[in-house]
Amino acid sequence: MFKKLQAKISHITTNSAIGTDARLQQICDLLKAKIPHYDWVGFYFVNGDKKELKLGPYAGEATDHTIISFGKGICGQVAVSNKNFVVPDVQAQDNYIACSITVKSEIVVPLFVNGKNIGQIDIDSNTPDPFSSEDERFLEFVNTQVAHMLC
Ligand code: SME
């Protein structure tokens, strides 16, 4: 599943006929549609020189959490740690921002451009503990392609 999607992701990110936000939107829509345990897929980006993240393109239910301070929630922690954060059970996390009561698990993978953490891809799942190292490697691939697109 991930191998096939990698080719599609590369195709989207290199499509200069549309803008970068439209390409990010296509990635979110593709991942949500094709990966059964991805129920919400979105990109957050560092908001200018503020110590906060701002929601970019996403697929899934609208969220109130369009701005997240560094350090807050899973996303805010990844903005500071620069490391992948896999959460098998969101209820076991103290520093977690709930977007929907149906969400059971989450994965956040930072997005680096020229070595700088400029944002992240965030996936929510309604399935408990669905994420493996394959998800991590796949989402790292997605972010590398996005980084090339943004350079
Ligand atoms: N759960 C995230 C907030 C973003 S929503 O999942 C869309 C967090 O704890 O940072």
Side-chain angles (χ1 to χ4, degrees):
M1 173 173 67
F2 288 131
K3 260 271 132 352
K4 263 195 190 164
L5 285 173
Q6 285 192 355
K8 289 192 177 165
I9 295 290
S10 300
H11 190 74
I12 292 170
T13 53
T14 54
N15 176 15
S16 53
I18 58 172
T20 53
D21 269 7
R23 285 182 255 175
L24 292 173
Q25 185 66 55
Q26 287 189 354
I27 293 171
C28 293
D29 292 340
L30 178 73
L31 299 194
K32 182 175 183 296
K34 298 290 182 196
I35 306 175
H37 58 291
Y38 288 15
D39 293 297
W40 190 94
V41 179
F43 287 93
Y44 281 94
F45 290 98
V46 175
N47 193 11
D49 55 7
K50 296 185 189 152
K51 296 224 169 294
E52 64 184 30
L53 296 162
K54 187 175 182 203
L55 182 62
Y58 67 93
E61 274 177 40
T63 173
D64 290 340
H65 306 291
T66 54
I67 298 283
I68 297 176
S69 298
F70 281 17
K72 300 276 190 248
I74 308 303
C75 297
Q77 291 177 76
V78 169
V80 176
S81 74
N82 305 320
K83 293 205 171 82
N84 296 351
F85 199 156
V86 180
V87 182
D89 173 8
V90 293
Q91 290 202 353
Q93 293 291 319
D94 290 334
N95 189 358
Y96 168 69
I97 302 165
C99 280
S100 156
I101 49 159
T102 61
V103 175
K104 299 278 193 294
S105 53
E106 179 163 4
I107 182 171
V108 177
V109 173
L111 169 48
F112 300 100
V113 170
N114 298 325
K116 195 167 173 236
N117 183 348
I118 61 127
Q120 51 194 237
I121 189 166
D122 177 19
I123 317 287
D124 284 342
S125 179
N126 298 338
T127 305
D129 195 9
F131 301 114
S132 70
S133 56
E134 278 189 69
D135 293 88
E136 288 190 71
R137 299 297 86 77
F138 173 65
L139 294 170
E140 286 163 1
F141 171 85
V142 171
N143 280 356
T144 302
Q145 300 303 301
V146 169
H148 286 314
M149 174 182 94
L150 296 175
C151 273

